[in-house]
Amino acid sequence: MTTPIWIEAAINGPWGKERQPGIPIAIPDIVADGIAAVEAGAAIVHLHVYDVETGRQRDDWQLYARAIEGIRAKVDAIVYPTIPILGSGYAGDMIGSGRYTHLEELAKRGLVEWGVLDPGSCNWTTFAGIPGGEPGFIYQNPGEHIREGMAVAHANRIHPSYAIYEPGFTRLGAALAKAYPGLPTPIYRLMFSDAFAWGFPPKAYALEAHLALLAEDAPGAPVMIAGLGVDLSGLIGPAVARGVHVRAGLEDAHFGCTKTNAALVSETVKLVEAAGGRAASVVEIRADLAARR
């Protein structure tokens, strides 16, 4: 029997077209890419929305609503937004009173099942930029912001999609989940990179280290491999063997990638199948998460 593996498509990201020229920026293009990614095998779509004039991220719930409704009008999928990357030039404008205002507004309207929640802060610098003196930035998630996100997720029955940039994110995320009884099951999205000097490279030993910690702090939790500026193809086999899910798409791909989101998802599906897995349906994912509550 093949293992059902959740496949998420991260279709754009915070960078804008200067680092990833192929990402969709306008809402119709985001919708089209999201639909194409689902038709290629993804059951989950993660997206950012933008001010089309500046190309910068703009976390306006109405823009997200248009994108989510556009995708889900054509395909059934879990579609969820990001949060501002506080501390960086990619953060965009803060809309409303907090970093999770848009998520709460979307939840009130029944448009989201998951939400990004990053339990920790870390330094972001690229390896390519270090010789030239690139200072990078600190991706900031202060405790009060994390608590804001947890409260929104808890009150609105949203699954936190934890981005695990460093092992301490797992420890904090697991401890916080226990502090909110009844919180929908968090997803631990392990972030690897070839481009940034945080976390682990996409190596099997690194996956095993993450999984060993998760076995202690969040046993049985759903786990996914993902990253930024990364090629995960060599890690998909070990991930599938351990029942770990997979993310693909232009947000995660090496900068300057010339492939489409649909092509990246299709390639990932083939690698999952070659490793003895199969792409899970959105019905299977929802049922799996419901059974964990």
Side-chain angles (χ1 to χ4, degrees):
M1 182 179 293
T2 55
T3 304
I5 299 296
W6 309 356
I7 296 179
E8 176 177 320
I11 62 174
N12 41 31
W15 327 114
K17 288 183 174 288
E18 67 271 15
R19 273 186 163 167
Q20 206 64 292
I23 63 169
I25 295 288
I27 297 295
D29 296 331
I30 292 170
V31 169
D33 264 38
I35 292 168
V38 174
E39 291 175 341
I44 306 156
V45 177
H46 171 60
L47 51 82
H48 299 232
V49 293
Y50 311 86
D51 179 325
V52 292
E53 291 186 6
T54 65
R56 295 184 70 217
Q57 184 172 314
R58 182 173 174 79
D59 293 290
D60 183 331
W61 75 263
Q62 294 180 70
L63 291 175
Y64 278 118
R66 287 172 56 199
I68 293 167
E69 289 173 333
I71 293 168
R72 295 189 63 183
K74 297 294 185 181
V75 292
D76 188 16
I78 294 164
V79 186
Y80 74 104
T82 191
I83 55 174
I85 301 187
L86 191 65
S88 79
Y90 303 110
D93 299 325
M94 190 87 77
I95 309 295
S97 59
R99 285 175 76 193
Y100 292 87
T101 300
H102 62 292
L103 185 64
E104 188 165 30
E105 293 295 333
L106 293 166
K108 288 176 182 177
R109 292 159 177 82
L111 292 175
V112 286
E113 300 164 73
W114 293 18
V116 166
L117 203 159
D118 295 350
S121 303
C122 63
N123 284 70
W124 285 36
T125 308
T126 63
F127 289 108
I130 288 171
E134 177 190 313
F137 61 89
I138 299 173
Y139 174 36
Q140 300 170 27
N141 286 289
E144 61 270 25
H145 292 199
I146 299 169
R147 287 281 188 171
E148 177 197 353
M150 295 296 290
V152 169
H154 185 257
N156 294 281
R157 308 298 300 159
I158 297 167
H159 292 275
S161 178
Y162 288 156
I164 306 299
Y165 290 100
E166 303 285 2
F169 285 36
T170 290
R171 302 181 75 187
L172 178 56
L176 284 168
K178 293 171 185 173
Y180 287 82
L183 178 78
T185 303
I187 294 87
Y188 290 78
R189 183 163 33 86
L190 309 178
M191 302 297 284
F192 299 90
S193 190
D194 298 315
F196 290 98
W198 42 248
F200 283 115
K203 303 286 188 180
Y205 76 81
L207 175 61
E208 290 302 318
H210 274 301
L211 293 178
L213 179 59
L214 279 159
E216 292 182 0
D217 286 6
V223 184
M224 177 181 289
I225 58 169
L228 298 172
V230 72
D231 177 2
L232 289 176
S233 58
L235 198 55
I236 290 175
V240 171
R242 298 296 301 271
V244 171
H245 310 299
V246 182
R247 190 166 92 163
L250 283 170
E251 177 169 1
D252 291 8
H254 283 161
F255 301 138
C257 179
T258 58
K259 297 176 182 177
T260 65
N261 281 301
L264 291 167
V265 171
S266 180
E267 290 175 3
T268 297
V269 170
K270 291 176 183 176
L271 290 170
V272 165
E273 291 173 346
R278 63 172 175 81
S281 71
V282 69
V283 173
E284 289 177 307
I285 295 170
R286 289 183 181 129
D288 186 354
L289 287 170
R292 296 171 186 267
R293 290 180 178 175

